[in-house]
C-alpha cells in the first residue's frame, strides 16, 4: 500500500513502551501491527484518532520523533494539557493498547541539498520534529554544522539529554543547548528564550537553514528577526507552530 493510499486510512499501532520524561511530557513507543505501516518523511506528523463515546474520533496531531527509515516503529511525544481530550486518553494508557493513526501530514521537510549550517530552535515537545530530522539525516549528512536550542521552563522540564548526547557522539559538528526561561537557583546554562541566542550564531557568513518548531510566540519573534530585520531569504526559514 503506497503513501497516498494510506494517508487517510487509519492504521493500527500498538503501544510497546511508555516513558514519562517529565511531569507533563510522555513518550509512546509504537509498533505497527497491520500488514503495512504509514510511510512518512522526516518532519511530518501523524493524526491520533482519540475514541469518543457515541461520536466520531477526535483527531490530534503529533510530530514523529523517530527516524523515517523505520515507519513500523514510531516514537511520539505528548504534552499534557489540562482538560485535553487526547491528554486524558494518552495518560490513561498502560501499555499494549492498539491506537489508530493517519498520516503522514505536513510539508516542512528537511531541505536538500542542505546548507553548510543547520539551526534548530524549538520549545517543549517541538523537539520531536527536529529529533526526527537528526535521526533521519545523520547518515546522509554527518558533517553538517548542526546547532539546536531547546527551550523549556526550568530544570525539572529538561528531558532527552541521553538522546542528544548520543547524537553528539555520532555527529562531529552537533551542538545543543537547553535554554531555561525560569530556572531555579543553581542553573549555570543558558537563560531566557531560544530567540535570545540568535546573536551567538554566525549566519551572515555561513549559509544557514533555520527550522523552528513550538510555540507561536517564539516562531513570530524568530521570523521577525531573520526575515524582517536580517532579510534572510524565506526559503531558509521553515516553521511548524503548536503549543
Amino acid at each position: 500500500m503506497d503513501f497516498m493510499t494510506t494517508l487517510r486510512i487509519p492504521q493500527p499501532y500498538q503501544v510497546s513502551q511508555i516513558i514519562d520524561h517529565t511531569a507533563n511530557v510522555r513518550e509512546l513507543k509504537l509498533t505497527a501491527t497491520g500488514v503495512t505501516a504509514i510511510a512518512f518523511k522526516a518532519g511530518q506528523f501523524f493524526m491520533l484518532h482519540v475514541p469518543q463515546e457515541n461520536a466520531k474520533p477526535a483527531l490530534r496531531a503529533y510530530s514523529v520523533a523517530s527516524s523515517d527509515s523505520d515507519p513500523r516503529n514510531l516514537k511520539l511525544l505528548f504534552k499534557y494539557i489540562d482538560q485535553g481530550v487526547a491528554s486524558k486518553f494518552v495518560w490513561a494508557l498502560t501499555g499494549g493498547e492498539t491506537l489508530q493513526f493517519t498520516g503522514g501530514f505536513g510539508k516542512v521537510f528537511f531541505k536538500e541539498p542542505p546548507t553548510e549550517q543547520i539551526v534548530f530552535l524549538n520549545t517543549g515537545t517541538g523537539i520531536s520534529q527536529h529529533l526526527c530530522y537528526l535521526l533521519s539525516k545523520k547518515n546522509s549528512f554527518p558533517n553538517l554544522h548542526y546547532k539546536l536550542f531547546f527551550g523549556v521552563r526550568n530544570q525539572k522540564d529538561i528531558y532527552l539529554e541521553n538522546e542528544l548526547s548520543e547524537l553528539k557522539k555520532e555527529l562531529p559538528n552537533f551542538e545543543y543547548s537547553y535554554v531555561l526561561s525560569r530556572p531555579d537557583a543553581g542553573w549555570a546554562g543558558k537563560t531566557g528564550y531560544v530567540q535570545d541566542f540568535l546573536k551567538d550564531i554566525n549566519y551572515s557568513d555561513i549559509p544557514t537553514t533555520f527550522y523552528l518548531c513550538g510555540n507561536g510566540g517564539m516562531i513570530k519573534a524568530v521570523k521577525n528577526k531573520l526575515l524582517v530585520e536580517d532579510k534572510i531569504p524565506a526559503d531558509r526559514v521553515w516553521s511548524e507552530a503548536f503549543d
Side-chain angles (χ1 to χ4, degrees):
M1 192 174 291
D2 64 19
F3 169 71
M4 292 305 294
T5 303
T6 61
L7 190 64
R8 297 188 182 280
I9 300 174
Q11 298 292 309
Y13 281 78
Q14 187 175 46
V15 179
S16 57
Q17 188 176 359
I18 298 172
I19 301 171
D20 286 325
H21 289 293
T22 73
N24 61 2
V25 173
R26 169 167 282 197
E27 176 182 322
L28 296 186
K29 291 186 178 181
L30 301 145
T31 302
T33 58
V35 175
T36 59
I38 299 174
F40 71 96
K41 295 181 180 180
Q44 290 193 304
F45 59 88
F46 279 23
M47 299 296 292
L48 170 63
H49 291 231
V50 183
Q52 300 293 291
E53 188 174 354
N54 301 321
K56 292 182 178 179
L59 303 182
R60 296 294 185 271
Y62 298 94
S63 293
V64 181
S66 50
S67 173
D68 62 7
S69 65
D70 186 10
R72 295 198 67 85
N73 294 286
L74 303 178
K75 294 181 181 180
L76 299 180
L77 296 174
F78 299 79
K79 178 181 178 181
Y80 187 84
I81 304 297
D82 288 337
Q83 307 305 315
V85 169
S87 293
K88 291 180 179 179
F89 175 71
V90 170
W91 262 258
L93 299 173
T94 58
E97 297 90 346
T98 297
L99 311 184
Q100 299 292 325
F101 291 92
T102 45
F105 299 104
K107 297 181 179 180
V108 184
F109 304 128
F110 190 85
K111 306 307 170 185
E112 300 181 28
T115 52
E116 180 181 344
Q117 181 170 245
I118 306 296
V119 175
F120 300 115
L121 302 171
N122 56 69
T123 60
T125 52
I127 184 66
S128 297
Q129 184 185 72
H130 299 164
L131 191 58
C132 182
Y133 288 143
L134 287 162
L135 293 170
S136 300
K137 303 300 180 180
K138 64 180 181 179
N139 293 328
S140 299
F141 307 109
N143 296 312
L144 298 180
H145 290 261
Y146 298 101
K147 297 183 187 300
L148 184 148
F149 295 85
F150 187 171
V152 296
R153 177 170 289 195
N154 55 36
Q155 288 93 319
K156 70 177 184 295
D157 296 317
I158 291 174
Y159 65 102
L160 294 181
E161 285 186 284
N162 290 339
E163 289 82 351
L164 294 176
S165 178
E166 288 301 312
L167 278 168
K168 188 172 178 63
K169 294 176 184 178
E170 297 182 62
L171 298 169
N173 301 311
F174 174 51
E175 301 174 18
Y176 68 92
S177 299
Y178 290 93
V179 182
L180 276 55
S181 60
R182 299 180 185 178
D184 295 326
W187 172 247
K190 290 180 169 58
T191 299
Y193 299 96
V194 293
Q195 57 266 33
D196 298 336
F197 296 91
L198 288 170
K199 66 182 185 301
D200 297 338
I201 305 167
N202 180 4
Y203 53 86
S204 58
D205 301 319
I206 303 173
T208 303
T209 303
F210 296 84
Y211 296 93
L212 325 173
C213 195
N215 74 68
M218 177 273 286
I219 289 174
K220 182 178 179 180
V222 173
K223 283 188 169 182
N224 183 70
K225 170 62 177 169
L226 297 177
L227 300 177
V228 179
E229 296 182 21
D230 296 339
K231 310 299 182 185
I232 299 294
D235 64 355
R236 294 286 179 87
V237 182
W238 300 92
S239 65
E240 193 90 79
F242 63 85
D243 292 303

